[in-house]
Structures are given as structure tokens and as C-alpha cells.
Amino acid sequence: MRVHQLTLAALAVAASLSLTACGGDDVTGQSDPSSAPTASSSAGGSSSDGSSSGGPSSGSSGQGGAKNSAGKSSGGQGTAAGTGSNENGKIGKCRTDELEITAKESTIDGDPDGSVTVQLKNGGGRDCAISGYAGVDLKTNAGSLSAKRTGERATSTVLKNGQSTFFGINYPINKSGGSGVRITGLLVTPPDETKTVTLAWPGGATLPVTDGTGSPVKVGPVGNAGQGG
């Protein structure tokens, strides 16, 4: 009987050891999953890096913003390039200060009237538009004489820097044999301008005396270098 009890006790101890060993395996098994959260938390750390990389992601959105701002900037440059120095992309009118204005005699032998050609050269460093009639006055020993427009249709011209356009002045030749009206200078005011340029008169020295019923001098539109009449 005592032997039987000892055998049962030994079995109980063996079973207890066996259960302890199994429990130890379970603990070990749990310790691995617990290390998994650690790895996961480490991944969370990389995710936190990711949020710092999310910072790059916002950075990439920031780069998108840079592209947008670059786009605007390049659009701004495009606008500037299109307009050059012209305001709002529009070609401005030619100003007196931008034009080099000269005049020369252009009478053809045999013509009943004399003619002078006025050249307007764009020296302003930008494109400019010009159209219409210039104001033309002759300074004479009898006072100022304004030229009359021929009434020809005026066309618009865009002058690039360095380009020129012309218009003609038609005047009567003094064939009276008298002293006539002496011309002392030529005043030219470009279309749509108020500033006047004074030039030497290159044509005939005098005009015939008239009865004063109208100006004997005529001016054509800019872009037409033909005779005023």
C-alpha cells in the first residue's frame, strides 16, 4: 500500500513537472508575440518616420506648391516676354521722343508741285504703333502756315525698333518771279502726340503769295510717302 502511494506521488510530481514544462513553453510562445508588438511598434516608429516622411509627403505637396508658384512665375515671365516693355501686352503708340524725324526734298522733275518726304524712324527700343496724320506747320516770314490733310485713308503701322515709316508734304512751287513767302522751318507733330519737332525745311525756299482762301500746303497720312496731292 505504501509502495502504491509512493508511485502515485511520483506520478503526480512527474505530471506537475510536465505541466510546468508546458507552461514554460507557453510563456516562451507568448514572449515571441510580445516581441511582435515591439517590431510593430518599431514599424510604428518607421511610420512615425513615415509621418516625418509624411513630412516629405507634405513636402511633396509643398513641391507641388513650388511647381504651381513656378508655373505662375513662368506665366509671369511669359507675360513679360510677350509684352517686352509694352504695358499689359499691348503695343503702345509711338511717342515723339522715340522717333527720329528727318525730312528731305523729293520733288520729281516735271511735277507741277514740289514735295518733301518726312521719315519717322523708331528709335525707342520697343515696338510701337502709328497711324493717322501728323501735324505739319511751315514757319514763314509771314507767320505759321498749317498744312491741310489730303483726306486719304490712313492705315495703322507697327514699327519695330529701327524701322521707319514716311509721309509726304505737297507744296506749290513759286513760279511767280516774285520773292513770295519765305519758308524758315518745318514743324512736325507725330499722330496722337502733342510734342513737336522743329526741322530745317529742305524744299523750295519760297511759296507763291496766295489770296489766303486756303492753305496751299497739303500733307498725306503716315505710311504714304507719295505726294500730298
Side-chain angles (χ1 to χ4, degrees), residues 65-158:
K67 289 179 184 174
N68 289 339
S69 92
K72 289 176 186 174
S73 166
S74 109
Q77 290 169 358
T79 304
T83 64
S85 57
N86 295 301
E87 189 177 355
N88 297 326
K90 295 180 181 178
I91 296 180
K93 65 183 179 180
C94 298
R95 302 288 186 179
T96 301
D97 290 338
E98 297 175 317
L99 297 171
E100 299 168 16
I101 304 176
T102 56
K104 66 178 182 179
E105 173 70 23
S106 56
T107 302
I108 299 173
D109 290 342
D111 282 355
D113 294 324
S115 63
V116 165
T117 298
V118 178
Q119 176 179 3
L120 308 170
K121 182 178 180 180
N122 180 10
R126 67 176 182 100
D127 296 354
C128 66
I130 189 167
S131 66
Y133 284 78
V136 171
D137 296 276
L138 299 186
K139 293 169 66 177
T140 76
N141 61 341
S144 181
L145 177 65
S146 296
K148 182 180 178 181
R149 295 179 178 182
T150 63
E152 296 172 81
R153 183 174 177 272
T155 58
S156 180
T157 302
V158 173

Side-chain angles (χ1 to χ4, degrees), residues 14-28:
S16 170
L17 289 175
S18 171
L19 287 174
T20 304
C22 289
D25 288 344
D26 289 343
V27 171
T28 308

Side-chain angles (χ1 to χ4, degrees), residues 5 21 51 71 92 114 152 214:
Q5 285 178 350
S51 65
E152 296 172 81

